[in-house]
Amino acid sequence: MLSTRPTPAERFDIDTTLRTLYDTLKDLDAGNVASYIPELAKACPDWFGITLCSPEGEIFEIGDARQQFTIQSISKPLVYGQALDAYGRAFVASRVGVEPTGDAFHSIISLDEKSKRPHNPMVNAGAIAMTSLIQGATASERLSRLLDTFQRYVGHPVAVDMPTYTSERSTGHRNRAIAHLMLNFGMIEGSVEEQLDLYFQQCAVLVDCRDLAVIAATLANRGINPLTGDRAVHEEHVRDLLSVMFTCGLYDYAGEWAYEVGFPAKSGVGGGILAVVPNRWGIGVFSPRLDARGNSVRGIEVCKALSRQWRLHLFDAPSP
C-alpha cells in the first residue's frame, strides 16, 4: 500500500505505473467525442493525460496533462460546495436532494414535483438549482464569485472559454426545458435565462488534467489546496461533496463505478474525470472519447486499473 508521502521507491513505482497505463490505453479507440455541443466536437480524440496529486502537493503526470479543455459537469460538486458554505447544510438540503437516479444526467423527468427539489446536485436539474444560489447583486458579481471559488481549488486564476460558452448557450434548449419546469415547480427563482447564462459559463471554465488532480487533492486534503494552502471549502462540507460524488458522480454509471472502482469521482462530457482517494490521492484523467453515458472511456479504465493495482477501493480490506 502506498504511504501518504511517496518514498523514492514508490515514486519510481508511480512513474512506472502511469507510463504503463498510458502506453496500454493510448490506442484504445472506443467511444466518441461529444458532439451535441458543437464546440466540444472539435476536440482531438487522441488527447490523453493522467495526473496524480498527493495531499502534500507532489504531482505525477504523463501525456496531455497540460492540454486545456472545459470543465463541464466536473464543476457541479464545486458549486454544490459553494452553496453549502454560503447557506448551510439544512437550507441546501431543502433545495436539492442526495438520491441517486438511474436516469441520464440531462433527464427532464428527474424532477420530484412533490418535494420541490431535484434528486441530486450532480444531474443538470440539481446543478442548475445550485448555480441559481450563487450570490451577487449583478451577473458580473456572481460570475466573479464562481471563478474565485474555482481558483481556490486549482490554485491559479481561471477563465471561461467564450466559444464553448456561446456554443452551449445557443444549443442548450434541453437545459432551458429543465429550468422552465423547475421554475414552474418552485425549485428556482428569477430569470431562467440569467440562471442558465451563469450555468453555461460555469461549464465552460477552462482547466487541464493537472487542475483536476489538484482539485481532487484539495478534497482529499479536507478542503485545503495542497499547493497554496488556501481553503477551498469548509471541512465539514467535504464529506457531503464526496458522498454525493460517490453515489451520483458518474451519471447513470454511478452504481457500477462504486462497485468496480470504489472512490468518489465526477466526470464531464469534455473528457475529464476527477477522482478522490481521501487522505491519499487526487486523480485527474483527460481523454475526450466518451462512452454512451457521457464518461471518458480511457478515464474509467485508468481509474479501474489504479483501484485494482493499489487497492484503492474504499471497501478493500487493509493489507496485512
Side-chain angles (χ1 to χ4, degrees), residues 31-34 40 43-48 69 268-272 286-291 295-298:
N32 299 288
V33 173
L40 296 186
C44 174
D46 295 327
W47 284 336
F48 181 28
F69 58 96
V269 295
F286 167 57
S287 175
R289 291 184 180 274
L290 309 180
D291 62 21
N295 300 313
S296 171
V297 173
R298 292 178 185 141

Side-chain angles (χ1 to χ4, degrees), residues 246 258 262 311-318:
F246 186 70
R311 296 182 59 83
L312 298 180
H313 196 296
L314 295 181
F315 304 121
D316 271 335

Side-chain angles (χ1 to χ4, degrees), residues 2-319:
L2 294 175
S3 62
T4 301
R5 181 180 293 277
T7 66
E10 288 168 340
R11 286 191 186 92
F12 176 77
D13 180 62
I14 294 166
D15 289 333
T16 301
T17 297
L18 294 188
R19 168 56 64 183
T20 300
L21 277 175
Y22 181 83
D23 289 343
T24 300
L25 297 172
K26 66 181 180 180
D27 294 326
L28 177 63
D29 61 359
N32 299 288
V33 173
S35 59
Y36 71 96
I37 299 171
E39 198 65 25
L40 296 186
K42 298 178 181 179
C44 174
D46 295 327
W47 284 336
F48 181 28
I50 309 170
T51 307
L52 301 182
C53 181
S54 75
E56 293 79 25
E58 293 192 77
I59 292 177
F60 305 83
E61 60 188 8
I62 192 169
D64 300 307
R66 303 300 177 95
Q67 171 62 51
Q68 288 193 313
F69 58 96
T70 51
I71 193 169
Q72 298 298 328
S73 287
I74 297 173
S75 65
K76 292 173 180 176
L78 311 189
V79 176
Y80 178 52
Q82 184 177 11
L84 288 168
D85 279 357
Y87 295 96
R89 197 169 191 247
F91 177 83
V92 172
S94 73
R95 304 299 292 266
V96 68
V98 294
E99 286 298 321
T101 172
D103 298 319
F105 65 94
H106 57 359
S107 173
I108 293 177
I109 63 172
S110 286
L111 296 173
D112 187 347
E113 184 176 359
K114 293 181 180 178
S115 71
K116 302 295 182 184
R117 61 182 189 172
H119 285 287
N120 66 69
M122 301 297 110
V123 294
N124 287 12
I128 292 168
M130 293 298 94
T131 301
S132 75
L133 297 179
I134 295 175
Q135 299 170 330
T138 65
S140 178
E141 286 185 14
R142 297 179 72 206
L143 177 60
S144 293
R145 187 180 296 273
L146 173 77
L147 296 179
D148 286 346
T149 295
F150 286 17
Q151 178 174 334
R152 289 195 296 274
Y153 276 101
V154 302
H156 62 79
V158 295
V160 175
D161 181 62
M162 295 308 295
T164 303
Y165 157 63
T166 55
S167 183
E168 296 201 38
R169 185 176 62 177
S170 64
T171 60
H173 305 304
R174 191 178 185 92
N175 281 323
R176 287 187 176 87
I178 292 171
H180 278 288
L181 275 176
M182 293 169 66
L183 181 67
N184 180 67
F185 295 156
M187 296 178 180
I188 61 173
E189 301 171 355
S191 165
V192 165
E193 286 303 319
E194 287 181 9
Q195 306 297 4
L196 285 177
D197 201 57
L198 184 56
Y199 177 70
F200 293 142
Q201 291 179 82
Q202 165 190 321
C203 293
V205 168
L206 283 168
V207 293
D208 59 28
C209 192
R210 183 180 185 274
D211 292 331
L212 295 190
V214 174
I215 295 170
T218 298
L219 294 173
N221 194 37
R222 302 177 300 281
I224 297 175
N225 185 309
L227 302 185
T228 66
D230 293 337
R231 177 164 290 284
V233 61
H234 293 159
E235 184 173 355
E236 63 266 28
H237 296 144
V238 172
R239 188 189 72 171
D240 294 339
L241 268 67
L242 295 181
S243 296
V244 176
M245 288 168 64
F246 186 70
T247 57
C248 309
L250 271 290
Y251 307 134
D252 44 337
Y253 180 74
E256 191 168 346
W257 172 275
Y259 184 81
E260 293 285 349
V261 183
F263 43 77
K266 186 70 195 81
S267 62
V269 295
I273 290 184
L274 173 155
V276 181
V277 185
N279 302 313
R280 294 182 64 187
W281 288 113
I283 302 170
V285 189
F286 167 57
S287 175
R289 291 184 180 274
L290 309 180
D291 62 21
R293 295 181 171 107
N295 300 313
S296 171
V297 173
R298 292 178 185 141
I300 287 177
E301 293 305 314
V302 167
C303 292
K304 282 182 177 179
L306 291 175
S307 179
R308 288 192 302 266
Q309 184 166 338
W310 291 346
R311 296 182 59 83
L312 298 180
H313 196 296
L314 295 181
F315 304 121
D316 271 335
S319 299

